[in-house]
Amino acid sequence: MTGPRVEVYGVRHHGPGSARALRAALEDYGPDAVLIEGPPEADPIVGLAADPGMVPPVALLAYSPAADGDDRKAAFWPFAEFSPEWQAVRHALAAGAAVRFCDLPAANQLVPAADGPQDAPAGAEASGEDAMRLDPLGLLAEAAGYDDTERWWDDVVEHRHDGPSPFPAIAEAMTELRERVTAPPEDAAGAPPGYRRREEQREAHMRRTLRRALKDGYGRVAVVCGAWHVPALLAKVPAARDDRTLRGLPKVKVATTWVPWTHGRLAGRSGYGAGVRSPGWYQHLFTAPDRPVERWLTAAARVLREEGLHVSSAHVIEAVRLAEALAALRGRPLAGLDEVTEAARAVLCEGAELPVGLIRRRLVVGERLGAVPERTPMVPLQRDLQAEQRRLRLRPSASGKEQDLDLRKPTDLDRSRLLHRLRLLEVDWGVPSESRSKGTFRETWTLEWRPEFDVELIEASAWGTTVRGAATARAEALAASAEALADLTSVAERCLLADLGGALPAVMGALADRAAVDTDVARLMAAMPALVRALRYGDVRGTSTGPLRTVVDGLVVRVCVGLPPALTGLDDDAARDLLGHIDAVHGALALLGDEGHVERWRRTLEGVLARPAALHGLVEGRLTRLLHDAGRLGDVPDRMARAVSVGAAPGRAAAWVEGFLSGGGLLLVHDEALLRLVDGWISGLPAGSFTDVLPLLRRTFGAFGAAERRAVGERVRRLGGGAEAPRPAGDGLDADRAAPAAATALAILGWKESS
């Protein structure tokens, strides 16, 4: 009778060749138990990997539900279809073998560091920080004459299809490396302090798990781990030593679940230390082992055709030939990503980089989002969000998609409310963008689901078990902690957009109390636009806005009373800042449409304008324009004439003109009298004064649109010089005045009139 047998397979965490070779090795070996590098807390839910609803890429999520605030820790262990660990799990479940994870428990790895930086869980992506790991494969690649670890590993492992198992050679190479590098230096590959200690703990726990599996009576045990750990698992280390290494390790309470993952997060650029630069390429190599180059370039051509680019079958054939020729010249067993990319750039994209970027985004990285089955453990808030997504037919996607919502439709209105509620919970699945419609009945959102949203939902579950309830509690907390009036108005606006009637009484109470004691007119004016928008959108959304209207009514009165003294004695910066508030309030009151408030506001501006000596030129000019547009002033040409008269300082005159014209230049196009005044003032400025005011004038006219500037220029050309009479009819050329200049030009050119 033979004793128990152990096989250790050293893999790269995400590699199609490793995954394919491991699957074949496990089928030949037929283990009774498979131990996989990962958190042991996930053992109870590993069986979900066999569910048809589990579609990689997915990730194991371990988090500490008992932590509060910033102390919360979470980590992910991602799996793609081409991950060797995923193939090991699927094989074991299909074959009826036991599956256990053997890495150091997440309960130990997620303990907050008490003295220095916390090591990220190995094989996992730690939330908010980069995973830093020693890269032994880089040393082997360098010894083989490669300057790129990824390229070397692809050539020796990932591009292999048939042949002997690579795992004995990998184990031998790792053993030799560990003998030569007995202790990784503190700065090796960016390894953080404590790296060696944490690696010893991890390997001790792997050996302990292996001993337990053998003690449980499993005759054939397979261990799947990172290649670097193979020699440590094969070493004869006494159990007592491992027990001493693991004794007394601090731990926290941990919960685990499965969450969807994306290829984009698997890419090396995501900050995941064990990631790969090209998950889409690796997925292709795993799913299309026969003629992968031809299939890849055909897919690239399809992507380009979908964007309207002309790519023929002849292009694809020529690109395949070029990729294979490059691989042969470089001594590679198969054309790799570098070769197919260069071939696509030269042939399919004709040297253009923009189409290459499209191929890289769509194929090399990919836009794949995984899925988990319904029976996956979730917090109630996640369940509620999933139910809302199904009800509103909003399917999460890893690629950014634009969603245009018509708020007059019940379904779109509910979608908008859901997205606004999630933003209150800091789950920015939807980001609002500028709507193509000018009406208040439409919203445009960009929807892009990211895996970390699951962690944010778990954190937000402290506020409630439903999205609506959690958002209501979160809004009330924001209102209670708000320090500025503008913060409170923002919360009120968000409550109305999210239809959180339960939070409005508390928010409105805090807002009314703060507005009643705030004496800063600028802050009161800054708060008003958001409140008015909330009133208007509240009407569109059918939400109650009675308490908010009371606050707005009080703010209008207080702003009108406090504005005149606030406008005296302003310097340039203060005048420009307050002018922005004036424009915002003016627009908000026009949007509100309350004639009583509009009339009060206009009378306030008229009273301020009656004392021009106390006003900054910028403010006086802008108020004149606002009242002129409202039809409340009949002497605007006289006011401009006084402002730009000879006795006025050029700087103040330029500020007056800037304020007057800041609403746009069409007024000058249609009012010739005002245009003549501005033209005459500019034409009459002395040289020194013109130089001083030129920057102000350029800022004023530079803000106009190109069509407005062109129209003003045409009008000035027809005015004549300054305020003088129009130019002669015809083409405007004065032959007598032009004759001397023409004669001089002809003389320079050497032209002589023929006799």
Side-chain angles (χ1 to χ4, degrees):
M1 179 176 180
T2 60
R5 179 181 167 191
V6 177
E7 290 288 342
V8 182
Y9 301 99
V11 299
R12 191 185 188 197
H13 286 296
H14 303 297
S18 299
R20 192 179 301 111
L22 177 64
R23 187 76 185 233
L26 291 176
E27 289 174 355
D28 290 341
Y29 181 42
D32 302 313
V34 179
L35 310 183
I36 301 170
E37 183 178 325
E41 293 90 345
D43 286 351
I45 61 173
V46 70
L48 290 172
D51 193 295
M54 184 77 78
V55 181
V58 292
L60 283 170
L61 165 62
Y63 61 95
S64 52
D68 295 322
D70 294 335
D71 292 332
R72 181 181 298 277
K73 292 289 183 177
F76 299 93
W77 280 260
F79 299 90
E81 186 178 3
F82 52 83
S83 300
E85 296 90 342
W86 179 256
Q87 291 300 318
V89 168
R90 295 298 294 264
H91 170 81
L93 293 176
V99 183
R100 295 180 183 178
F101 289 105
C102 60
D103 205 348
L104 189 68
N108 302 125
Q109 299 200 47
L110 295 182
V111 174
D115 53 352
Q118 174 70 20
D119 298 345
E125 178 173 337
S127 299
E129 61 181 354
D130 291 341
M132 303 174 68
R133 302 193 58 180
L134 183 65
D135 182 16
L137 300 182
L139 301 176
L140 292 175
E142 183 179 356
Y146 284 75
D147 57 2
D148 187 334
T149 304
E150 192 115 353
R151 183 178 176 183
W152 172 78
W153 184 261
D154 284 349
D155 283 353
V156 299
V157 177
E158 308 306 345
H159 290 171
R160 291 167 45 96
H161 294 296
D162 300 316
S165 172
F167 298 111
I170 292 174
E172 182 180 355
M174 292 300 110
T175 301
E176 182 68 20
L177 271 179
R178 291 189 68 129
E179 289 178 356
R180 293 176 178 269
V181 187
T182 56
E186 291 298 310
D187 60 348
Y195 175 85
R196 181 183 179 187
R197 182 178 65 256
R198 177 52 55 88
E199 289 298 293
E200 289 175 350
Q201 294 166 355
R202 294 179 59 218
E203 291 170 350
H205 195 274
M206 291 180 189
R207 288 190 292 264
R208 173 187 282 182
T209 306
L210 176 58
R211 294 190 195 100
R212 287 176 179 172
L214 296 174
K215 185 178 180 180
D216 290 342
Y218 294 110
R220 293 171 174 264
V221 179
V223 182
V224 180
C225 61
W228 178 256
H229 304 298
V230 172
L233 296 184
L234 294 175
K236 303 298 183 182
V237 178
R241 176 181 168 184
D242 288 341
D243 291 340
R244 287 195 302 270
T245 301
L246 298 173
R247 185 178 300 126
L249 291 182
K251 62 181 180 180
V252 295
K253 183 179 179 181
V254 166
T256 57
T257 186
W258 289 96
V259 296
W261 204 249
T262 67
H263 273 181
R265 293 290 295 183
L266 279 172
R269 59 185 175 87
S270 71
Y272 171 46
V276 292
R277 294 194 300 260
S278 50
W281 169 250
Y282 274 7
Q283 174 76 19
H284 174 76
L285 288 181
F286 185 76
T287 56
D290 61 313
R291 308 185 73 84
V293 175
E294 292 87 339
R295 295 178 183 273
W296 176 266
L297 290 171
T298 300
R302 186 180 302 113
V303 167
L304 297 179
R305 288 180 187 137
E306 289 173 354
E307 295 298 322
L309 300 177
H310 175 68
V311 181
S312 66
S313 300
H315 283 93
V316 176
I317 295 171
E318 188 59 34
V320 170
R321 290 174 178 170
L322 178 57
E324 292 176 344
L326 289 172
L329 288 172
R330 295 168 180 175
R332 306 195 69 179
L334 178 74
L337 182 59
D338 291 341
E339 286 72 32
V340 296
T341 300
E342 291 176 29
R345 177 185 290 108
V347 182
L348 303 185
C349 305
E350 298 180 348
E353 284 299 324
L354 191 61
V356 176
L358 181 65
I359 294 173
R360 185 176 294 113
R361 185 172 62 255
R362 295 272 187 88
L363 293 182
V364 177
V365 174
E367 299 170 341
R368 183 185 295 261
L369 174 66
V372 297
E374 289 290 331
R375 55 195 183 98
T376 302
M378 295 181 185
V379 296
L381 186 61
Q382 290 175 294
R383 292 282 185 200
D384 183 66
L385 176 57
Q386 283 194 352
E388 288 293 289
Q389 289 170 337
R390 288 193 298 269
R391 181 178 71 87
L392 300 175
R393 299 188 297 279
L394 280 177
R395 184 178 180 180
S397 172
S399 58
K401 293 185 177 180
E402 193 173 271
Q403 186 83 32
D404 191 39
L405 303 179
D406 185 345
L407 303 182
R408 294 168 294 186
K409 299 178 180 179
T411 300
D412 280 0
L413 181 57
D414 285 347
R415 288 171 175 172
S416 173
R417 289 168 175 167
L418 174 64
L419 295 174
H420 281 294
R421 290 168 186 171
L422 289 174
R423 284 178 63 80
L424 266 169
L425 297 174
E426 298 182 356
V427 180
D428 294 332
W429 174 30
V431 177
S433 54
E434 185 176 354
S435 177
R436 293 185 291 266
S437 172
K438 296 300 182 182
T440 59
F441 291 97
R442 289 193 177 275
E443 284 182 346
T444 301
W445 295 78
T446 300
L447 304 182
E448 182 178 359
W449 185 265
R450 298 196 300 272
E452 55 266 31
F453 289 158
D454 286 291
V455 177
E456 293 168 2
L457 284 169
I458 291 170
E459 293 178 348
S461 64
W463 298 106
T465 58
T466 66
V467 175
R468 184 187 185 111
T472 298
R474 172 68 171 159
E476 292 173 345
L478 289 174
S481 62
E483 298 181 356
L485 182 61
D487 295 336
L488 278 169
T489 58
S490 174
V491 174
E493 182 180 18
R494 296 170 73 183
C495 284
L496 287 172
L497 294 174
D499 189 26
L500 299 178
L504 274 178
V507 176
M508 288 297 100
L511 179 59
D513 293 343
R514 182 62 59 85
V517 299
D518 201 324
T519 58
D520 190 312
V521 174
R523 286 201 293 264
L524 296 176
M525 297 174 75
M528 191 179 298
L531 295 178
V532 171
R533 285 197 305 269
L535 276 173
R536 293 291 291 177
Y537 288 133
D539 292 339
V540 173
R541 296 166 180 270
T543 53
S544 174
T545 57
L548 185 58
R549 182 57 186 258
T550 302
V551 175
V552 170
D553 292 342
L555 277 181
V556 172
V557 174
R558 297 186 61 200
V559 167
C560 290
V561 171
L563 182 61
L567 290 176
T568 59
L570 299 177
D571 59 16
D572 292 344
D573 292 337
R576 197 172 300 281
D577 181 64
L578 200 55
L579 199 62
H581 292 310
I582 291 174
D583 283 341
V585 171
H586 190 80
L589 292 178
L591 178 65
L592 185 61
D594 187 303
E595 290 299 327
H597 288 331
V598 172
E599 181 61 25
R600 180 188 293 272
W601 172 251
R602 289 173 177 171
R603 287 202 306 267
T604 300
L605 298 186
E606 288 174 342
V608 170
L609 204 56
R611 300 189 302 274
L615 298 177
H616 190 281
L618 193 66
V619 174
E620 183 187 355
R622 186 61 186 148
L623 297 188
T624 302
R625 174 64 181 276
L626 293 178
L627 292 173
H628 172 70
D629 290 346
R632 303 293 285 257
L633 294 179
D635 59 344
V636 171
D638 294 338
R639 291 174 180 269
M640 178 177 282
R642 289 194 298 270
V644 300
S645 63
V646 176
R652 191 181 193 283
W656 196 99
V657 172
E658 180 184 355
F660 185 80
L661 297 178
S662 60
L666 288 179
L667 184 64
L668 294 180
V669 177
H670 299 293
D671 195 325
E672 184 173 327
L674 295 181
L675 182 60
R676 284 184 179 278
L677 284 170
V678 176
D679 184 49
W681 167 64
I682 295 175
S683 301
L685 284 173
S689 298
F690 179 79
T691 303
D692 293 337
V693 303
L694 182 59
L696 298 176
L697 293 174
R698 293 191 63 179
R699 181 168 57 195
T700 301
F701 287 91
F704 298 167
E708 286 184 340
R709 292 198 301 269
R710 184 165 54 251
V712 171
E714 289 294 326
R715 293 286 293 172
V716 171
R717 187 178 67 83
R718 290 195 293 268
L719 284 179
E724 300 295 331
R727 291 173 180 166
D731 60 2
L733 177 64
D734 189 331
D736 293 336
R737 295 179 63 189
T744 302
L746 291 174
I748 293 174
L749 294 173
W751 182 84
K752 295 182 180 180
E753 187 176 356
S754 59
S755 56

